[in-house]
Amino acid sequence: MAAKLAGTGQQNIRLYETKGLILPERTAGGTRQYSDADVALLLHIGELLDQGLNLAGIAKVLALEVANAELRLALSRVRPRQEA
């Protein structure tokens, strides 16, 4: 179902998981369970592929996006203290 929602193939999703781009939850029996956030990430990966990035480049972009979000969060915590 996640592959259909993301417009990609199951093998692609397994490859992305192997490369560490996506980490779906697993049931006790080992079945992958994809959240809405996982599907959004798959769509984002598809967009980056369409822009010409390879999987290594996508891994770097995703890591930088996470780091950027963490920095923004830290900055939002510091700014109110500076204004007081």
Side-chain angles (χ1 to χ4, degrees), residues 61-73:
V61 167
L62 295 177
L64 288 170
E65 288 175 345
V66 168
N68 188 22
E70 290 170 352
L71 288 171
R72 287 180 185 272
L73 181 60

Side-chain angles (χ1 to χ4, degrees), residues 12-30:
N12 289 339
I13 294 175
R14 287 189 188 109
L15 176 62
Y16 304 156
E17 186 177 355
T18 300
K19 298 291 184 181
L21 300 178
I22 189 163
L23 301 169
E25 294 292 321
R26 299 275 184 151
T27 65

Side-chain angles (χ1 to χ4, degrees), residues 3-78:
K4 184 181 276 189
L5 290 172
T8 191
Q10 293 177 2
Q11 293 291 15
N12 289 339
I13 294 175
R14 287 189 188 109
L15 176 62
Y16 304 156
E17 186 177 355
T18 300
K19 298 291 184 181
L21 300 178
I22 189 163
L23 301 169
E25 294 292 321
R26 299 275 184 151
T27 65
T31 303
R32 293 170 180 89
Q33 290 186 321
Y34 296 94
S35 66
D36 291 341
D38 291 331
V39 173
L41 179 56
L42 289 169
L43 290 168
H44 187 44
I45 290 169
E47 292 168 356
L48 294 171
L49 286 168
D50 289 344
Q51 292 175 18
L53 274 72
N54 61 22
L55 295 181
I58 291 171
K60 293 285 186 185
V61 167
L62 295 177
L64 288 170
E65 288 175 345
V66 168
N68 188 22
E70 290 170 352
L71 288 171
R72 287 180 185 272
L73 181 60
L75 183 59
S76 71
R77 291 178 179 156
V78 172

